[in-house]
Amino acid sequence: MTDRKTELAANLAKVEERITAACAAAGREREEVTLIVVTKTYPASDVRILSELGVRHVAENRDQDAAPKAAACADLPLKWHFVGQLQTNKVRSVVGYADVVQSVDRSRLVAALSKEAVRAGREVGCLIQVALDAGESERESGGARTSSEGRWRETGGRGGVAPAGIEELADLVADAPGLRLDGLMTVAPLTGEYAGREQAAFERLMDLSTDLRRSHPAATMVSAGMSADLEQAVAAGATHVRVGTAVLGVRPRLG
Ligand SMILES: *Cc1c(COP(=O)(O)O)cnc(C)c1O
């Protein structure tokens, strides 16, 4: 093995141990949790090594980086998740490689994704990204056309729709040709009532998922937890954890 492969194998084994321990502690089966490795800022050669090591789900957050990487890795049996804020002018490119877009947070994005998915003859899975620092009662949603860009700024540029906006956006996705409503995603908030309370935040996301599944029973994905808080996400019931740093190392630049 190359040095890098040895390093990534060791890191993956540690993350695997953490997920296994967290599942055991929560009385869950290991198979209930899928590891998504966030490869942003790392080269296609690392993605290739991860694939050799058995990783099947990778995630990226910037189309400029992700598109060439996905093209370089098109021969690998990988599912690609898009987890970054997505501008509508990048949607055509993203739909070319993404199996799942985890950052759906406004109606304009749903419309653009649907149009491009149909055009490409693809079905794209969608997660509604929930902003848990937005305040529960705020009724911003994909339906609130003009305020949605403002919502990004209010959530520190991390994206997401307030809980009150989930249902409307979910219905839009479910009815959109070329799209499949897969579930919910969140990033532990840095501000607001859940700041520093990752597990409470993820439990709130689980409650929102339970509500969503009443009207959309197939939308079972709950994507939560990163390198620092995957245990809390597994404890809360997450089905997917998104781990970057703990597998690939500290990123050379912000991303
Ligand atoms: C970067 C990123 C991750 C991974 O974060 P780490 O702390 O490196 O594990 C997870 N989710 C999203 C949305 C990200 O942008």
Side-chain angles (χ1 to χ4, degrees), residues 38 40 61 83-84 185 187 225-228 242-246 249 251 255:
V38 183
K40 64 188 182 194
N61 73 335
V83 298
M185 176 271 225
V187 177
M226 319 200 299
S227 294
R242 310 177 307 269
V243 179
T245 312
R251 282 180 288 278

Side-chain angles (χ1 to χ4, degrees), residues 33-166:
V33 180
T34 300
L35 169 65
I36 302 171
V37 179
V38 183
T39 50
K40 64 188 182 194
T41 76
Y42 286 96
S45 55
D46 279 352
V47 177
R48 192 162 286 278
I49 292 171
L50 290 169
S51 179
E52 288 167 10
L53 292 170
V55 168
R56 289 296 168 261
H57 295 261
V58 294
E60 289 282 329
N61 73 335
R62 284 163 49 101
D63 176 61
Q64 301 92 299
D65 303 330
K69 233 185 271 186
C73 297
D75 57 315
L76 303 176
L78 292 171
K79 288 226 179 297
W80 290 79
H81 297 252
F82 192 87
V83 298
Q85 279 178 30
L86 182 49
Q87 293 165 284
T88 48
N89 64 350
K90 305 284 199 230
V91 164
R92 181 171 299 182
S93 172
V94 168
V95 162
Y97 57 86
D99 298 286
V100 179
V101 173
Q102 298 206 359
S103 46
V104 175
D105 63 358
R106 62 203 193 282
S107 60
R108 247 166 43 103
L109 185 54
V110 175
L113 283 165
S114 175
K115 179 171 159 235
E116 295 302 335
V118 168
R119 193 186 135 91
R122 300 200 60 183
E123 183 177 70
V124 177
C126 293
L127 302 188
I128 309 295
Q129 182 177 347
V130 182
L132 291 172
D133 46 2
E136 291 291 323
S137 61
E138 265 173 279
R139 191 160 253 297
E140 199 286 324
S141 80
R145 290 113 303 227
T146 50
S147 60
S148 59
E149 312 292 322
R151 152 70 50 249
W152 283 7
R153 280 190 291 275
E154 285 164 44
T155 56
R158 288 153 36 113
V161 66
I166 294 171

